[in-house]
Amino acid sequence: MAASLFRSALPALLVAASIGHAALHKRDLDLPVAHAALQKRDLIVPTALPGEWTSSGCYTDGVGGQRTLSGAAYASNMGMSNVACINYCDERDYVYAGTEYSSECYCGNTLSAASGPAPAADCSMACSGNITEACGGPGRLNLFFSGGEPPAGPTTNPGPAGWTSEGCYSEGAGGRTLPNGVATTGGGGALTIALCTSACRAAGFNLAGAEYGGECFCGNTYQNGGAPAASGCDMTCNGNSSEFCGGPSRLNAYRFGGAPPTPTSTPIDPTATTTPTAAPTGPAIVPSIGAYNFLGCYTEATGTRALSAKVFNTPDMSLDKCAGLCAGYQYFGAEYGSECYCGDSLAAGSVRALNQADCSFTCPGNLNQFCGAGNRLELYQIDGTAPTPTPTATTTATTATGTGSATGLPAGWAYAGCYSEGSTGRAITAYQAPDNAALTIESCVQTCVGLGYPVAGMEFSSQCFCGRFISNGGALVPDTECSNTCSGNAAEKCGGPARLSIYSNGPLEVYQPPAAQTTGLPGSWEYQGCLQDNAGNGLVRTFIWQIIFPDTNDAETCLNQCAKFGYMAAGMEYGDECYCGDVAHIDEVGAALVPETECNVLCSGNPSFMCGGGSRLSYYKWTGTPLYVWDYPQGPAAGKYELLIGGVCVPLLTTVGVNGKVTFVEKYGTGTPNSTGAYELDLSLVDNFSQAWREMHVETDVFCSASITLPDKAGRQLNIGGWSGESLSGVRLYWPDGSPGTPSVRDWQENVDTLKLQRPRWYPSAMIMTNGSILVIGGQVGSNGAPEPTMELLPGGGPVLTLEYLRETDPFNLYPFLAVLPSGGIFIALWNRALIMDETTFATVRELEGIPGTVNNPLGGRTYPLEGTMVLLPQEAPYTEPLTVLICGGSTPGPAQAIDNCVSTQPEVPGAPWVIERMPSQRVLTCMTALPDGSFMIINGAHKGVAGFGLATDPNLNAVIYDPSQPVNQRMSVMQNTTVARLYHSEANLLPDGRVLVSGSDPQDGTNPEEYRVEVFTPPYLLSGLPRPSFEITNKDWTYGQSVSITVQIPVGGPGGVRVSLLGAESSTHGATMGQRSIFPAVTCGGGSCTITAPPNANVCPPGWYQVFVLDGPTPSTGTFVRIGGDPGEVGNWPNLPGFDTPGI
């Protein structure tokens, strides 16, 4: 309902008082009214772009299962921006670049025919590396164009200068069609047609042929029956994806136009019986350099260099030179041909490359050596030995006996059979030796032994391959197909065309042709089939949570991550993408199973298996005991939302006072013109609007301040901080008076000239310490200002201490969560970190394991502006169990994906893990309040976004009760929905009658209204029809450990079933429930009375005010406020200043 409608119901007297009061506070007119600065800032598309790049607007992606840009791609959950993506694509010679889903970058040279422009509003997700920029959206790309002509798609190169294409040729039946293999500049990983023809010309040949994308062969005539082939030359060159370089047993052949030149080097002649004296050996692995031994081809580390002590880059780099430069270090590694790295240890993530042939760049200072490749190190260690991991095979081949005739093999080596080459690549991928005109079985085996490989394969008479297993679909075939004699011994057989004579040391491991992994899966996962992604209009993913594993994606990695966060459906896509979600979403988006052949991309972490394809998921389902169970009660068991009363303000903060009334504070000076900034609601008079609401007054703007109830005998409410100017240091006090039905007369007291914080604070937190002092911590120095990474104590006078973790976590640490620990110390949670600090020195005692975020983003946070909420689970006498903290909801920086889990831990237990529990829905701007029966109400918020004006969308109308008495992952019950959106600036408070007050919402999003209506949620325990218990108490000021008697009426259960709960007086704002604590003390009952034993000390129960409830089974009584622990800090005497009333101690 509009503000004017609610305000019109106020008596004229109150309206007049409001106007008069505003006139008295003239200095408020000088406060900056900066609504414009508070509004949602539209995401921008940058115009200052590299080179000639320009924005093409917002485009669709995934329509019809096709990527709009199908070239290179990468993802970054922390560093994506439009310029970063453009640079990535530009470096790879692509003319189009596009950002999507906040963290993804795609490149291409053409746009898919199905793609097209989309409304700019569709590209509304902030970049993970720059939250001011738009980086696409779901199924939407922010598209950029370089202005250049896209290079042609892969075609047959017509021939470099002087050379002419002769088309596609098959390999010979009895040997190589072009028998002379040559090394090319940069190695096979950089092969182009120009490099191959140049190398053959330099070696004195008129014919050149490129094969398998990275191999080059030369000759002057076609031999061994090689002939033109109609197909098969379909592999692009490793060094130029726009041209073809043959295929399996296929050559893209070229002829030079003139006579054979005088060779600059002597070629390899496979028909010779002796090795030519001038024959180059070509690049090869060097087993040792001085004291350094070869370890293998290694990947770079994760996010850093594997070796970082020293770095060199010279145009004459060789392994010998690199070893000399790194003298004194344990390791050296050569990379990119000319780079040398030194170090004494390998950084995390650097591992032996799955394909040892990746290190294919030759050293410019010695073309017979390999010097790594892009992100690959030719790695050596002093006295090191190559690790020999055991591969996991899908099958073990039967050892063959047949044509092998080698003698004198090393112990353990034996003939394993004739094997076909792989259907998707070489059957042996780790190492390929240079073609050898004198090859024998013995020499090939010795080469592999020297490199630490247990498998050797000979092919085409002169080729030798080494590895650890057979892969890519290589299969056992009849021995008669390995019919080529060895070039160095005509009495031995060395394979054939696309056939390998295999020898192994021990059982031969054979990987089947890649397919989806169906066995050896973790947990209770089962493969379901190849499933559509981006089905229908292409805007909605089948599973919404995406994780990129560039080098490690496989079924085990993906499925374990999904299960850890409670997802029972998962899939892999495009080789390195992992998706988590729910089975129900498959039908919701209309996805269907498709033929297995459409899931045809190898897993980046295990190329023996397929990990989906283009818009295709290798889909798995959890079929065992459910990872979570949510209850969906019906009728009264689902609780009930009701409108309580029309409101007079849009509150920012609400507190239930010890007088049984509720105080509301709102923006003052930056809010509506006729607001006085504070109001009080008498719950007993809600049927009479004008009598229920009492106008109160503040002096400065309480916008985004903090409140607690003091432990003094009056239960005064303290409010600190504010929005700008003098309000930032504001200290405001209210002494609750009156009672339900009896008017209150006191008002807020404040004087910034005589009483203020030592530091300005916007979004601070406050907590009562064990000694009765008030800890004030964090905030910003002003609206969207610099952090205030400090703490101070009230009453003031002590030092202001800087806390570095507040600086380190800015700006995601506002309204940090605080709690006194029973064993001593103070727990603090902020962003994704949690610590324990000493309650005397405030030094950090211990930092806990990082707080989990979303399944795909560990940077997901819980405090403002990512805004989840925290509560303390109940402490029960005799208080021997460690305290458990529970944190629910929140969001992620950049993508603003609301978190759909709660996490809990026991901070006092060193090494205690965070336990993750799925919530029924995503929720940010979360509110949570304790209930008398030990359960908790999760309420309010949005399904997407972060805190701030206009920054959250899709209201979460659903209430959830969390019951910690149930098993983990079975604690949540989905309650009734509301129809009122409660977004930014909403609150929830437990009322003395056991209901939950629901208020506020100030989204300023142009869609949802500023919310004046006040609701209540009635939990199921008040709807069961059972009569409520009641009690009378005279002693409302308890000391620790005291025995307190009450008289009780227990209408249903017997005295033995009575429980008592103590719930701390709390203030609710921005997801922070300051003062919350749930305690179940010891109680004994008999003869119409019960004796409660007060908690033992201030660590279990910090001094302050608590609502006492008596429970008869599930049904609570009405609550009564009592004070426990007195006023040890003597705040009742503070502040001793004019204009402030103090109750004394």
Side-chain angles (χ1 to χ4, degrees), residues 31-35 38 652 666-673 701-703 723-724 1004:
L31 288 175
V33 180
H35 282 295
L38 297 174
L652 301 177
E666 72 163 339
K667 290 177 290 186
Y668 176 59
T670 53
T672 53
D701 198 346
V702 296
F703 184 11
W723 128 260
S724 67
Q1004 299 189 25

Side-chain angles (χ1 to χ4, degrees), residues 293-353:
N293 291 328
F294 180 62
L295 291 184
C297 180
Y298 270 64
T299 67
E300 276 291 4
T302 304
T304 185
R305 287 289 185 189
L307 301 172
S308 57
K310 282 188 177 181
V311 181
F312 303 93
N313 191 329
T314 67
D316 61 344
M317 185 60 67
S318 68
L319 295 177
D320 305 83
K321 180 162 188 170
C322 187
L325 294 170
C326 295
Y329 288 96
Q330 282 292 310
Y331 296 90
F332 81 82
E335 185 169 328
Y336 273 110
S338 60
E339 300 173 10
C340 175
Y341 297 86
C342 318
D344 286 321
S345 62
L346 293 178
S350 178
V351 297
R352 190 177 175 89

Side-chain angles (χ1 to χ4, degrees), residues 769-818:
M769 297 176 57
T770 56
N771 64 3
S773 299
I774 302 102
L775 172 64
V776 179
I777 188 168
Q780 292 180 336
V781 298
S783 172
N784 300 316
E788 182 53 60
T790 63
M791 55 142 290
E792 58 184 281
L793 298 177
L794 293 175
V800 174
L801 300 180
T802 297
L803 303 173
E804 279 304 315
Y805 49 79
L806 287 172
R807 197 188 310 276
E808 294 164 357
T809 52
D810 176 68
F812 302 120
N813 62 8
L814 303 176
Y815 283 129
F817 303 139
L818 300 168

